[in-house]
Amino acid sequence: MLSGLNHLTLAVLDLHRSVDFYRTLLGFRLHATWRAGAYLSLGDLWLCLSLDASRSSQPAPDYTHYAFSVAADQFDAFVARLLDHSVVEWKTNRSEGKSFYFLDPDGHKLEVHVGDLASRLSQCRLAPYDGMRLFD
């Protein structure tokens, strides 16, 4: 039986650039590096960066992305920090809670979000998505 998400692995073109981005800009903790990869963590999240020359630096056309939590009182400063480092915004927020959608150096779609599943469902009870069914 599954018990949760174990880790994420992201293919990267430049390992040093990606480690620097996740560590310095996003605040991940670096645990290990080797010729073709690195292990980092953020809270309970284990992230593996894996060097992969076949990775395209262009963002995928779909909506797949990875969202990270940020406290409401830190959101504006965090987004300002990202913008100061010239991150690319790939989407404008139109949902509940403050969100900022941006790309990492390899075109992975990321988001910083204020809120959680409970706050999202609470908003959905007030204004459900088209065809939405809520389960208790």
Side-chain angles (χ1 to χ4, degrees), residues 68-76 78-79 98-99 112-115:
F68 302 102
S69 297
V70 66
D73 63 347
Q74 297 175 1
F75 179 83
D76 293 331
F78 192 82
V79 170
K98 287 184 172 184
S99 283
V112 290
H113 179 72
V114 174

Side-chain angles (χ1 to χ4, degrees), residues 7 14 18 21 32 45 48 72 75 88 97 105 109 114 122 124 131 133:
H7 68 278
D14 181 327
S18 294
F21 177 85
L45 173 64
C48 174
F75 179 83
V88 174
K109 294 177 179 177
V114 174
S122 178
C124 287
R133 292 174 43 200

Side-chain angles (χ1 to χ4, degrees), residues 1-116:
M1 186 59 84
L2 297 177
S3 61
L5 181 65
N6 187 276
H7 68 278
L8 293 177
T9 297
L10 300 179
V12 300
L13 291 168
D14 181 327
L15 184 62
H16 298 292
R17 176 186 67 184
S18 294
V19 166
D20 186 55
F21 177 85
Y22 281 91
R23 187 172 169 234
T24 304
L25 190 56
L26 301 188
F28 278 70
R29 179 176 172 216
L30 182 63
H31 294 276
T33 61
W34 60 98
R35 183 187 58 75
Y39 290 144
L40 301 99
S41 67
L42 182 69
D44 291 334
L45 173 64
W46 166 18
L47 177 67
C48 174
L49 300 177
S50 182
L51 196 56
D52 187 340
S54 69
R55 167 71 191 174
S56 169
S57 61
Q58 296 302 312
D62 63 31
Y63 187 62
T64 300
H65 67 282
Y66 310 100
F68 302 102
S69 297
V70 66
D73 63 347
Q74 297 175 1
F75 179 83
D76 293 331
F78 192 82
V79 170
R81 177 177 161 84
L82 293 174
L83 293 172
D84 285 346
H85 285 82
S86 303
V87 300
V88 174
E89 184 176 7
W90 64 272
K91 179 185 181 303
T92 302
N93 184 36
R94 292 186 298 265
S95 62
E96 162 274 333
K98 287 184 172 184
S99 283
F100 180 72
Y101 299 84
F102 62 103
L103 300 176
D104 80 354
D106 293 282
H108 295 106
K109 294 177 179 177
L110 307 177
E111 172 189 2
V112 290
H113 179 72
V114 174
D116 56 16

